[in-house]
Amino acid sequence: MGRVEDGRPYGWGRLHAAFQVLEGLAEGRTTLGAAPEVKETTNTPRNTFRRLLAGAGIHLLHARERGGAHAEAAAVVFGDIARLVAPERMRGSNLTPREIGEFRQGYAHQIGLYREKWGALVP
């Protein structure tokens, strides 16, 4: 069996974290989205990520307009989003309980990377 880190649900968790951080940088929030928002992504990843992508541009614009560290962090996170979208069709069906656990591991990993890099700037 492969490593959890190599799986799609883990990658989707990392992607969702990047969207959450970009939105937080744009709004100047100090807390992440509520747990139900993370759970929502585990239901139909493709639909949820399409919705998140639709708002990513305006979040980037707002974060860049804030200037300073917010602007710099947003540029990196936006690039991460592009890299974290796998070059394949994303699944539109629900994840299994095991996959939800993998998703949450990826989410926590990516948030940890951002907090390590930017500290209190990351919600």
Side-chain angles (χ1 to χ4, degrees), residues 34-78:
E37 293 176 21
V38 176
K39 173 68 172 95
E40 175 187 329
T41 305
T42 65
N43 285 334
T44 54
R46 187 166 197 275
N47 292 340
T48 299
F49 286 125
R50 286 179 66 156
R51 180 181 48 78
L52 291 170
L53 276 168
I58 196 67
H59 293 310
L60 174 65
L61 177 65
H62 288 172
R64 296 290 288 172
E65 288 176 340
R66 292 175 74 81
H70 281 85
E72 295 303 316
V76 171
V77 173
F78 195 77

Short mmCIF file of all heavy atoms in Angstrom, two decimals, residues 34-78:
data_model
loop_
_atom_site.label_atom_id
_atom_site.label_comp_id
_atom_site.label_asym_id
_atom_site.label_seq_id
_atom_site.Cartn_x
_atom_site.Cartn_y
_atom_site.Cartn_z
N ALA A 34 -14.72 27.08 9.81
CA ALA A 34 -15.23 26.10 10.76
C ALA A 34 -15.10 24.69 10.21
O ALA A 34 -15.05 24.48 9.00
CB ALA A 34 -16.69 26.41 11.08
N ALA A 35 -15.08 23.72 11.10
CA ALA A 35 -14.96 22.31 10.72
C ALA A 35 -15.99 21.89 9.67
O ALA A 35 -15.64 21.14 8.77
CB ALA A 35 -15.04 21.43 11.95
N PRO A 36 -17.25 22.34 9.73
CA PRO A 36 -18.20 21.92 8.69
C PRO A 36 -17.75 22.32 7.28
O PRO A 36 -18.04 21.64 6.33
CB PRO A 36 -19.49 22.65 9.08
CG PRO A 36 -19.38 22.85 10.54
CD PRO A 36 -17.91 23.09 10.79
N GLU A 37 -17.02 23.43 7.14
CA GLU A 37 -16.54 23.83 5.83
C GLU A 37 -15.54 22.81 5.30
O GLU A 37 -15.50 22.52 4.13
CB GLU A 37 -15.91 25.21 5.88
CG GLU A 37 -16.92 26.31 6.18
CD GLU A 37 -16.27 27.67 6.33
OE1 GLU A 37 -15.14 27.85 5.84
OE2 GLU A 37 -16.89 28.53 6.93
N VAL A 38 -14.71 22.28 6.18
CA VAL A 38 -13.75 21.26 5.78
C VAL A 38 -14.52 19.99 5.41
O VAL A 38 -14.24 19.35 4.41
CB VAL A 38 -12.73 20.99 6.90
CG1 VAL A 38 -11.80 19.85 6.50
CG2 VAL A 38 -11.93 22.25 7.19
N LYS A 39 -15.50 19.62 6.19
CA LYS A 39 -16.30 18.43 5.93
C LYS A 39 -17.00 18.54 4.58
O LYS A 39 -17.09 17.57 3.83
CB LYS A 39 -17.32 18.22 7.06
CG LYS A 39 -18.31 17.10 6.83
CD LYS A 39 -17.63 15.74 6.86
CE LYS A 39 -18.62 14.62 6.82
NZ LYS A 39 -18.89 14.09 5.51
N GLU A 40 -17.47 19.72 4.25
CA GLU A 40 -18.17 19.92 2.99
C GLU A 40 -17.30 19.50 1.80
O GLU A 40 -17.78 18.91 0.85
CB GLU A 40 -18.55 21.40 2.85
CG GLU A 40 -19.18 21.75 1.53
CD GLU A 40 -19.38 23.24 1.37
OE1 GLU A 40 -19.59 23.93 2.38
OE2 GLU A 40 -19.31 23.70 0.23
N THR A 41 -16.04 19.78 1.87
CA THR A 41 -15.14 19.44 0.77
C THR A 41 -14.98 17.95 0.62
O THR A 41 -14.71 17.45 -0.47
CB THR A 41 -13.76 20.10 1.00
OG1 THR A 41 -13.97 21.48 1.18
CG2 THR A 41 -12.86 19.89 -0.18
N THR A 42 -15.12 17.21 1.69
CA THR A 42 -14.97 15.76 1.60
C THR A 42 -16.19 15.12 0.93
O THR A 42 -16.13 13.96 0.57
CB THR A 42 -14.73 15.12 2.98
OG1 THR A 42 -15.88 15.30 3.79
CG2 THR A 42 -13.50 15.70 3.64
N ASN A 43 -17.27 15.85 0.78
CA ASN A 43 -18.44 15.28 0.15
C ASN A 43 -18.30 15.25 -1.37
O ASN A 43 -18.23 14.21 -1.95
CB ASN A 43 -19.71 16.01 0.58
CG ASN A 43 -20.11 15.64 1.98
OD1 ASN A 43 -19.78 14.56 2.45
ND2 ASN A 43 -20.79 16.52 2.67
N THR A 44 -18.26 16.34 -2.02
CA THR A 44 -18.09 16.35 -3.47
C THR A 44 -16.93 17.27 -3.81
O THR A 44 -17.12 18.43 -4.11
CB THR A 44 -19.37 16.81 -4.18
OG1 THR A 44 -19.76 18.06 -3.65
CG2 THR A 44 -20.50 15.80 -4.02
N PRO A 45 -15.71 16.75 -3.75
CA PRO A 45 -14.54 17.60 -3.96
C PRO A 45 -14.57 18.43 -5.24
O PRO A 45 -14.29 19.62 -5.21
CB PRO A 45 -13.38 16.60 -3.99
CG PRO A 45 -13.87 15.43 -3.22
CD PRO A 45 -15.34 15.36 -3.48
N ARG A 46 -14.96 17.85 -6.34
CA ARG A 46 -14.93 18.59 -7.61
C ARG A 46 -15.84 19.81 -7.56
O ARG A 46 -15.44 20.91 -7.96
CB ARG A 46 -15.33 17.69 -8.77
CG ARG A 46 -15.14 18.35 -10.12
CD ARG A 46 -15.22 17.31 -11.24
NE ARG A 46 -14.67 17.84 -12.46
CZ ARG A 46 -15.37 18.57 -13.33
NH1 ARG A 46 -16.64 18.85 -13.08
NH2 ARG A 46 -14.80 19.02 -14.43
N ASN A 47 -17.06 19.65 -7.10
CA ASN A 47 -17.99 20.79 -7.02
C ASN A 47 -17.50 21.85 -6.05
O ASN A 47 -17.58 23.04 -6.32
CB ASN A 47 -19.38 20.31 -6.62
CG ASN A 47 -20.03 19.48 -7.70
OD1 ASN A 47 -19.64 19.53 -8.87
ND2 ASN A 47 -21.00 18.68 -7.31
N THR A 48 -17.00 21.41 -4.91
CA THR A 48 -16.53 22.36 -3.91
C THR A 48 -15.33 23.14 -4.42
O THR A 48 -15.26 24.36 -4.27
CB THR A 48 -16.19 21.64 -2.60
OG1 THR A 48 -17.37 21.00 -2.12
CG2 THR A 48 -15.68 22.60 -1.56
N PHE A 49 -14.38 22.45 -5.05
CA PHE A 49 -13.20 23.15 -5.53
C PHE A 49 -13.52 24.07 -6.70
O PHE A 49 -12.89 25.11 -6.86
CB PHE A 49 -12.08 22.17 -5.86
CG PHE A 49 -11.43 21.61 -4.63
CD1 PHE A 49 -11.34 20.26 -4.43
CD2 PHE A 49 -10.91 22.46 -3.65
CE1 PHE A 49 -10.75 19.74 -3.28
CE2 PHE A 49 -10.32 21.96 -2.50
CZ PHE A 49 -10.24 20.59 -2.32
N ARG A 50 -14.50 23.73 -7.49
CA ARG A 50 -14.93 24.65 -8.56
C ARG A 50 -15.44 25.94 -7.94
O ARG A 50 -15.13 27.03 -8.42
CB ARG A 50 -16.01 24.01 -9.42
CG ARG A 50 -15.45 22.93 -10.35
CD ARG A 50 -16.53 22.31 -11.16
NE ARG A 50 -17.06 23.33 -12.07
CZ ARG A 50 -17.66 23.07 -13.20
NH1 ARG A 50 -17.85 21.82 -13.56
NH2 ARG A 50 -18.11 24.03 -13.96
N ARG A 51 -16.21 25.82 -6.87
CA ARG A 51 -16.73 27.00 -6.19
C ARG A 51 -15.59 27.81 -5.57
O ARG A 51 -15.55 29.04 -5.69
CB ARG A 51 -17.73 26.58 -5.11
CG ARG A 51 -18.33 27.74 -4.33
CD ARG A 51 -19.30 27.28 -3.24
NE ARG A 51 -18.80 26.22 -2.40
CZ ARG A 51 -17.93 26.39 -1.39
NH1 ARG A 51 -17.45 27.58 -1.13
NH2 ARG A 51 -17.56 25.37 -0.66
N LEU A 52 -14.65 27.12 -4.94
CA LEU A 52 -13.52 27.82 -4.32
C LEU A 52 -12.65 28.50 -5.37
O LEU A 52 -12.17 29.63 -5.14
CB LEU A 52 -12.70 26.84 -3.48
CG LEU A 52 -13.37 26.33 -2.21
CD1 LEU A 52 -12.57 25.20 -1.58
CD2 LEU A 52 -13.57 27.47 -1.21
N LEU A 53 -12.44 27.85 -6.50
CA LEU A 53 -11.65 28.46 -7.57
C LEU A 53 -12.31 29.73 -8.10
O LEU A 53 -11.63 30.70 -8.44
CB LEU A 53 -11.45 27.47 -8.72
CG LEU A 53 -10.29 26.51 -8.56
CD1 LEU A 53 -10.38 25.39 -9.59
CD2 LEU A 53 -8.96 27.24 -8.66
N ALA A 54 -13.63 29.72 -8.15
CA ALA A 54 -14.36 30.89 -8.66
C ALA A 54 -14.11 32.13 -7.80
O ALA A 54 -14.11 33.24 -8.31
CB ALA A 54 -15.85 30.58 -8.73
N GLY A 55 -13.86 31.93 -6.51
CA GLY A 55 -13.62 33.07 -5.63
C GLY A 55 -12.15 33.37 -5.37
O GLY A 55 -11.81 34.40 -4.77
N ALA A 56 -11.26 32.51 -5.85
CA ALA A 56 -9.84 32.66 -5.53
C ALA A 56 -9.24 33.94 -6.11
O ALA A 56 -8.41 34.59 -5.46
CB ALA A 56 -9.06 31.44 -6.02
N GLY A 57 -9.64 34.31 -7.29
CA GLY A 57 -9.09 35.52 -7.91
C GLY A 57 -9.36 36.76 -7.11
O GLY A 57 -8.47 37.60 -6.90
N ILE A 58 -10.58 36.91 -6.63
CA ILE A 58 -10.93 38.11 -5.85
C ILE A 58 -10.21 38.08 -4.50
O ILE A 58 -9.79 39.12 -3.99
CB ILE A 58 -12.46 38.27 -5.69
CG1 ILE A 58 -12.81 39.69 -5.23
CG2 ILE A 58 -13.05 37.26 -4.75
CD1 ILE A 58 -12.52 40.75 -6.26
N HIS A 59 -10.01 36.89 -3.94
CA HIS A 59 -9.26 36.79 -2.69
C HIS A 59 -7.80 37.19 -2.91
O HIS A 59 -7.21 37.89 -2.09
CB HIS A 59 -9.34 35.38 -2.10
CG HIS A 59 -10.70 35.00 -1.63
ND1 HIS A 59 -11.46 35.79 -0.80
CD2 HIS A 59 -11.45 33.91 -1.87
CE1 HIS A 59 -12.62 35.21 -0.56
NE2 HIS A 59 -12.63 34.06 -1.20
N LEU A 60 -7.25 36.76 -4.02
CA LEU A 60 -5.88 37.15 -4.35
C LEU A 60 -5.79 38.67 -4.49
O LEU A 60 -4.89 39.30 -3.92
CB LEU A 60 -5.42 36.48 -5.64
CG LEU A 60 -4.05 36.93 -6.16
CD1 LEU A 60 -2.95 36.53 -5.18
CD2 LEU A 60 -3.80 36.35 -7.53
N LEU A 61 -6.71 39.26 -5.22
CA LEU A 61 -6.71 40.71 -5.41
C LEU A 61 -6.77 41.44 -4.07
O LEU A 61 -5.99 42.36 -3.81
CB LEU A 61 -7.88 41.13 -6.31
CG LEU A 61 -8.03 42.63 -6.53
CD1 LEU A 61 -6.83 43.18 -7.30
CD2 LEU A 61 -9.32 42.92 -7.27
N HIS A 62 -7.68 41.03 -3.21
CA HIS A 62 -7.83 41.70 -1.91
C HIS A 62 -6.58 41.55 -1.05
O HIS A 62 -6.15 42.51 -0.41
CB HIS A 62 -9.05 41.16 -1.16
CG HIS A 62 -10.34 41.62 -1.75
ND1 HIS A 62 -11.55 41.13 -1.35
CD2 HIS A 62 -10.63 42.49 -2.75
CE1 HIS A 62 -12.51 41.68 -2.05
NE2 HIS A 62 -11.98 42.51 -2.91
N ALA A 63 -6.00 40.37 -1.04
CA ALA A 63 -4.80 40.15 -0.24
C ALA A 63 -3.63 40.96 -0.79
O ALA A 63 -2.85 41.54 -0.02
CB ALA A 63 -4.45 38.67 -0.19
N ARG A 64 -3.51 41.01 -2.10
CA ARG A 64 -2.43 41.78 -2.71
C ARG A 64 -2.62 43.27 -2.44
O ARG A 64 -1.66 44.00 -2.24
CB ARG A 64 -2.35 41.51 -4.21
CG ARG A 64 -1.99 40.07 -4.58
CD ARG A 64 -0.58 39.70 -4.27
NE ARG A 64 0.33 40.37 -5.22
CZ ARG A 64 1.63 40.34 -5.10
NH1 ARG A 64 2.21 39.70 -4.11
NH2 ARG A 64 2.38 40.96 -5.99
N GLU A 65 -3.85 43.73 -2.43
CA GLU A 65 -4.13 45.15 -2.14
C GLU A 65 -3.80 45.51 -0.69
O GLU A 65 -3.51 46.67 -0.41
CB GLU A 65 -5.60 45.48 -2.44
CG GLU A 65 -5.90 45.53 -3.91
CD GLU A 65 -7.37 45.77 -4.22
OE1 GLU A 65 -8.24 45.52 -3.35
OE2 GLU A 65 -7.65 46.19 -5.35
N ARG A 66 -3.83 44.54 0.19
CA ARG A 66 -3.46 44.79 1.59
C ARG A 66 -1.99 45.16 1.69
O ARG A 66 -1.56 45.82 2.61
CB ARG A 66 -3.75 43.58 2.46
CG ARG A 66 -5.22 43.26 2.64
CD ARG A 66 -5.42 41.97 3.41
NE ARG A 66 -5.13 42.13 4.81
CZ ARG A 66 -5.95 42.64 5.72
NH1 ARG A 66 -7.13 43.06 5.33
NH2 ARG A 66 -5.60 42.73 6.97
N GLY A 67 -1.21 44.66 0.74
CA GLY A 67 0.22 44.97 0.70
C GLY A 67 1.01 44.18 1.73
O GLY A 67 0.49 43.33 2.44
N GLY A 68 2.29 44.47 1.78
CA GLY A 68 3.18 43.88 2.76
C GLY A 68 3.20 42.37 2.77
O GLY A 68 3.15 41.72 1.72
N ALA A 69 3.28 41.83 3.97
CA ALA A 69 3.39 40.39 4.14
C ALA A 69 2.16 39.65 3.62
O ALA A 69 2.28 38.53 3.10
CB ALA A 69 3.63 40.05 5.61
N HIS A 70 0.98 40.26 3.77
CA HIS A 70 -0.24 39.62 3.24
C HIS A 70 -0.12 39.41 1.74
O HIS A 70 -0.45 38.35 1.21
CB HIS A 70 -1.48 40.47 3.53
CG HIS A 70 -1.98 40.36 4.92
ND1 HIS A 70 -1.48 41.12 5.95
CD2 HIS A 70 -2.93 39.57 5.46
CE1 HIS A 70 -2.11 40.82 7.06
NE2 HIS A 70 -2.99 39.86 6.80
N ALA A 71 0.35 40.43 1.05
CA ALA A 71 0.48 40.36 -0.40
C ALA A 71 1.49 39.29 -0.82
O ALA A 71 1.24 38.52 -1.74
CB ALA A 71 0.90 41.72 -0.95
N GLU A 72 2.62 39.25 -0.12
CA GLU A 72 3.65 38.27 -0.45
C GLU A 72 3.16 36.85 -0.20
O GLU A 72 3.36 35.95 -1.02
CB GLU A 72 4.92 38.54 0.35
CG GLU A 72 5.58 39.87 0.00
CD GLU A 72 5.94 39.98 -1.47
OE1 GLU A 72 6.47 39.01 -2.03
OE2 GLU A 72 5.67 41.04 -2.05
N ALA A 73 2.54 36.63 0.94
CA ALA A 73 2.03 35.30 1.27
C ALA A 73 0.95 34.86 0.28
O ALA A 73 0.94 33.71 -0.16
CB ALA A 73 1.48 35.28 2.70
N ALA A 74 0.07 35.78 -0.09
CA ALA A 74 -1.01 35.45 -1.02
C ALA A 74 -0.46 35.01 -2.37
O ALA A 74 -1.00 34.08 -2.99
CB ALA A 74 -1.95 36.64 -1.19
N ALA A 75 0.61 35.63 -2.83
CA ALA A 75 1.19 35.24 -4.11
C ALA A 75 1.70 33.81 -4.06
O ALA A 75 1.51 33.04 -5.01
CB ALA A 75 2.32 36.21 -4.48
N VAL A 76 2.32 33.44 -2.95
CA VAL A 76 2.83 32.08 -2.81
C VAL A 76 1.67 31.08 -2.72
O VAL A 76 1.68 30.04 -3.39
CB VAL A 76 3.75 31.96 -1.57
CG1 VAL A 76 4.11 30.52 -1.28
CG2 VAL A 76 5.00 32.82 -1.76
N VAL A 77 0.68 31.39 -1.91
CA VAL A 77 -0.46 30.48 -1.72
C VAL A 77 -1.22 30.30 -3.03
O VAL A 77 -1.61 29.18 -3.38
CB VAL A 77 -1.39 30.98 -0.60
CG1 VAL A 77 -2.65 30.14 -0.52
CG2 VAL A 77 -0.66 30.96 0.74
N PHE A 78 -1.40 31.38 -3.77
CA PHE A 78 -2.10 31.28 -5.06
C PHE A 78 -1.34 30.36 -6.00
O PHE A 78 -1.93 29.53 -6.70
CB PHE A 78 -2.28 32.67 -5.67
CG PHE A 78 -3.27 32.72 -6.79
CD1 PHE A 78 -4.63 32.70 -6.54
CD2 PHE A 78 -2.84 32.82 -8.11
CE1 PHE A 78 -5.56 32.75 -7.58
CE2 PHE A 78 -3.76 32.88 -9.15
CZ PHE A 78 -5.12 32.84 -8.89
#
